[in-house]
Amino acid sequence: MSLSINSLSTSYANLQVLWDVSLHVDKGEVVSLIGANGAGKSTLLKSIMAIIRYRNGSIVFEGQSLKGLYPHQVVARGIAYVPEGRRLFPSMSVEENLRMGAPRKCEDLDSRLDSVFSLFPAVNARKKQSASTLSGGEQQMVAIGRALMTKPRMLLLDELSFGLSPKVFERVLDAIEETNHLGVSILLAEQNSERALEVSKRAYIMENGRISSEGKSQELINDSRVREAYLGIVD
Amino acid sequence: MDTSLVNFAQAIISGILLGGFFALASVGLSLIFGVQRILNVAHGAFIVLAAFVTIQFSLVATPSLHLNPLASLGLDFMLIGGLGVCVYFLLIRRIENSGFEAPLLATFGLSVFLEYIIQSGLGPIPSIDPSHGQGAQAEHQIYSSTSLIVGPLFVQEPELISFLIAIIIIPILHLFLSRTYYGKAIRATAQDWLAAEFSGIDIRKTRLLSFALGSALAGVAGGMFAFTNSVTPLLGDTYLLPIILVVIILGGVGSMIGTLIGGFVVGLLLSFSELFDSSYLFRFGFQPDVGYLITFLVFLIVLMVRPNGLFGKGVVK
């Protein structure tokens, strides 16, 4: 097992946001996390990244607890994160944004950059440009590229479809699948996406800070209750 | 040469040299403010503290060890840089994510504390070079600046040195921020510290580095300040800090080269207004320090036209 979360509870001040959440991602797996806005998906990903501290429960990656680490140490353990809204460094060039993903002493910097550019040729063409001048799709590609520059074994993706046209989202998902074929495990959080379920093998559904159902993605897609509540499809 | 032409040329030279010192005094705070959004209002006190270090060093080391007083600049850099490290760990680190006001109040308190220490602990302060300031006493003469004279124009040696330090250090700082990993990491932390963290940057390190480096640069500026002024404990707040804030905001917060140019602008404004007030404005009852009035007036006008300063985008670019 690559990532395993057991009975995690997280609070913001006095407001409890996650209740007894358990979830796992096997090595090389693509798992999606579906839920409405505010269900707790982002909080769960931020807890994994140690951006939010949690009191109860455990988060274990490759057999080691992530408790008490700083976010950059979680990154060093092999987990990378693409946040909702990209969060690029706006006054830096695309290339500098990517460079920030790699560690200070990085012997294979060029080959890391090359693999990002071969995944996203559109980014290569814009590498000298300031990140703030890119389109939403290109920014998403740079955000994924910056995460891949850390050479992760697991990638957490928050709301990849945010602000993207279906066509661009499709291209980004292709890149994610390609990355998965190279052996990177993926946890994909999406609000309303049938496509997320289609690319993943298993899925969890979150409701009000709890995991309300889980199972094979294919079965969830065919579940009429899930179809209505999360995919917006009324049979 | 015509007298007014000579005065004009002399005002340009003095203004640029003074501007170099202002830029040197400002660049450390520009780095800290641009990177951490922390307005360290104790920056002026850091400078004055370094000036005292240099004066004490000159009193002790110059006569007994036959060291050039300028050697104290290295000491200032390390001591005030070390002070910056202590202040960062004891004070700043606990409050840096809690908005703009907490660090402002905390560093204000620090500034009062440091000034009190300087005032009560160090007694009356001799000036390094009795050729300037009041209270010059020959027995305290530990350094005598030479003037370089070119025709009718002259340049004080320490002013030239602080100008040279500024035009060497500031472009190096600019290159550090734009070319090296740590420089880029500092900029990334400035632009989005959370994104920097999950990109794998240790933001505790980048923040400590920028605070220590910014403080150390205040140290170098303080050393040079001792050579060109008669120093009193409160000068940090009454004289340096207002000018430093004008320089930084004029140049644009976060731009090192902008700070250099901001320094020149303020230096020239002050030296030209001196030229005018001695010859013209004085007749209308303006006080000799009308230069500050003019400087702050220009500052306000520039901010009305360009709220981010001449070169600024708001954070370290």
Side-chain angles (χ1 to χ4, degrees):
Chain A
M1 206 180 292
S2 182
L3 177 74
S4 104
I5 298 172
N6 296 302
S7 319
L8 183 77
S9 296
T10 301
S11 307
Y12 289 114
N14 291 321
L15 179 69
Q16 187 162 354
V17 187
L18 296 183
W19 304 74
D20 199 26
V21 170
S22 296
L23 166 156
H24 71 271
V25 180
D26 289 330
K27 198 171 182 331
E29 206 180 15
V30 180
V31 171
S32 55
L33 186 61
I34 307 295
N37 199 7
K41 305 182 303 297
S42 294
T43 304
L44 178 58
L45 298 192
K46 285 178 187 166
S47 304
I48 300 170
M49 291 311 294
I51 294 166
I52 298 175
R53 304 263 148 172
Y54 53 94
R55 285 245 176 85
N56 301 310
S58 69
I59 300 176
V60 175
F61 180 64
E62 294 175 345
Q64 282 181 304
S65 169
L66 300 180
K67 192 156 186 115
L69 297 184
Y70 286 117
H72 73 273
Q73 293 169 320
V74 174
V75 174
R77 293 278 181 91
I79 304 181
Y81 169 60
V82 179
E84 183 174 4
R86 290 50 111 170
R87 304 285 290 260
L88 296 180
F89 305 120
S91 309
M92 294 175 103
S93 72
V94 167
E95 205 171 12
E96 285 177 316
N97 265 276
L98 295 175
R99 172 68 187 87
M100 288 294 97
R104 183 172 73 91
K105 282 182 187 154
C106 182
E107 278 153 21
D108 59 344
L109 185 66
D110 289 339
S111 81
R112 289 187 193 200
L113 279 170
D114 286 342
S115 55
V116 170
F117 291 146
S118 70
L119 194 61
F120 298 117
V123 168
N124 192 11
R126 304 223 182 272
K127 63 183 173 188
K128 298 290 176 205
Q129 249 170 274
S130 149
S132 57
T133 64
L134 301 184
S135 70
E138 288 161 344
Q139 286 189 12
Q140 191 61 279
M141 293 172 193
V142 176
I144 295 168
R146 184 178 66 185
L148 292 176
M149 289 296 287
T150 68
K151 238 183 178 177
R153 293 184 294 284
M154 164 135 220
L155 196 51
L156 313 179
L157 303 164
D158 197 358
E159 220 65 55
L160 275 189
S161 62
F162 179 81
L164 301 188
S165 69
K167 208 176 123 195
V168 175
F169 181 44
E170 211 50 48
R171 208 184 311 152
V172 169
L173 275 184
D174 287 345
I176 296 302
E177 287 190 291
E178 204 175 313
T179 304
N180 177 246
H181 291 319
L182 298 172
V184 180
S185 320
I186 310 277
L187 180 59
L188 178 61
E190 277 290 332
Q191 324 198 359
N192 236 328
S193 179
E194 197 173 0
R195 287 297 293 128
L197 283 175
E198 282 167 8
V199 298
S200 62
K201 204 177 86 188
R202 287 189 309 115
Y204 293 82
I205 294 184
M206 280 191 96
E207 241 171 297
N208 300 320
R210 293 181 171 86
I211 302 281
S212 63
S213 45
E214 60 175 287
K216 292 214 168 73
S217 298
Q218 205 48 53
E219 286 166 11
L220 290 169
I221 289 181
N222 294 328
D223 183 325
S224 64
R225 203 180 57 88
V226 171
R227 288 171 74 82
E228 205 178 311
Y230 298 104
L231 307 179
I233 304 166
V234 181
D235 294 312
Chain B
M1 238 195 288
D2 185 1
T3 333
S4 63
L5 196 64
V6 171
N7 287 344
F8 185 78
Q10 185 64 49
I12 288 183
I13 292 171
S14 309
I16 285 186
L17 295 185
L18 186 63
F21 169 73
F22 287 156
L24 184 63
S26 308
V27 73
L29 187 58
S30 182
L31 181 67
I32 292 169
F33 189 35
V35 169
Q36 288 158 297
R37 318 305 297 153
I38 285 173
L39 188 54
N40 176 20
V41 289
H43 195 77
F46 281 17
I47 293 176
V48 171
L49 192 63
F52 282 103
V53 170
T54 286
I55 291 167
Q56 296 302 321
F57 177 91
S58 313
L59 287 172
V60 177
T62 304
S64 60
L65 302 171
H66 304 288
L67 276 174
N68 188 316
L70 282 171
S72 66
L73 292 182
L75 189 66
D76 292 327
F77 183 86
M78 285 186 294
L79 278 180
I80 306 297
L83 175 70
V85 171
C86 297
V87 168
Y88 180 77
F89 278 115
L90 295 174
L91 198 63
I92 305 295
R93 204 164 68 135
R94 295 155 196 271
I95 51 175
E96 64 190 341
N97 291 336
S98 51
F100 186 72
E101 295 85 357
L104 196 65
L105 292 171
T107 55
F108 175 70
L110 176 68
S111 167
V112 173
F113 173 73
L114 289 176
E115 278 160 5
Y116 183 77
I117 286 191
I118 297 166
Q119 202 154 21
S120 63
L122 298 167
I125 302 118
S127 66
I128 286 192
D129 179 1
S131 62
H132 59 71
Q134 312 86 348
Q137 290 160 1
E139 66 264 33
H140 277 308
Q141 175 138 3
I142 41 190
Y143 176 85
S144 162
S145 64
T146 38
S147 297
L148 311 175
I149 296 165
V150 186
L153 304 171
F154 70 93
V155 172
Q156 294 285 335
E157 189 192 54
E159 287 173 354
L160 184 65
I161 293 171
S162 63
F163 167 80
L164 290 175
I165 293 175
I167 62 165
I168 292 167
I169 280 187
I170 292 173
I172 288 177
L173 195 60
H174 175 77
L175 287 178
F176 166 73
L177 288 170
S178 58
R179 300 284 163 85
T180 68
Y181 174 82
Y182 275 123
K184 288 177 185 179
I186 283 175
R187 284 160 58 217
T189 310
Q191 290 172 29
D192 187 337
W193 61 268
L194 194 55
E197 278 215 281
F198 59 67
S199 300
I201 295 167
D202 185 351
I203 63 164
R204 282 144 215 90
K205 229 187 242 178
T206 54
R207 284 171 161 174
L208 172 64
L209 179 65
S210 62
F211 200 84
L213 187 59
S215 303
L217 290 171
V220 175
M224 289 318 301
F225 190 58
F227 288 97
T228 48
N229 287 271
S230 55
V231 182
T232 60
L234 295 178
L235 272 188
D237 284 351
T238 56
Y239 170 68
L240 289 170
L241 196 63
I243 287 186
I244 287 171
L245 291 177
V246 171
V247 167
I248 291 176
I249 294 166
L250 264 187
V253 171
S255 165
M256 301 304 121
I257 301 296
T259 299
L260 183 61
I261 293 168
F264 290 147
V265 170
V266 173
L268 286 167
L269 279 172
L270 281 177
S271 75
F272 270 98
S273 47
E274 243 167 63
L275 186 71
F276 290 131
D277 83 57
S278 60
S279 63
Y280 185 74
L281 288 172
F282 204 60
R283 262 186 278 162
F284 297 97
F286 281 98
Q287 297 301 305
D289 50 3
V290 68
Y292 297 97
L293 181 72
I294 294 175
T295 303
F296 283 97
L297 205 60
V298 170
F299 169 63
L300 291 175
I301 292 167
V302 169
L303 281 196
M304 277 186 250
V305 183
R306 287 188 62 94
N308 280 336
L310 298 170
F311 302 91
K313 284 189 181 172
V315 292
V316 170
K317 287 180 282 174

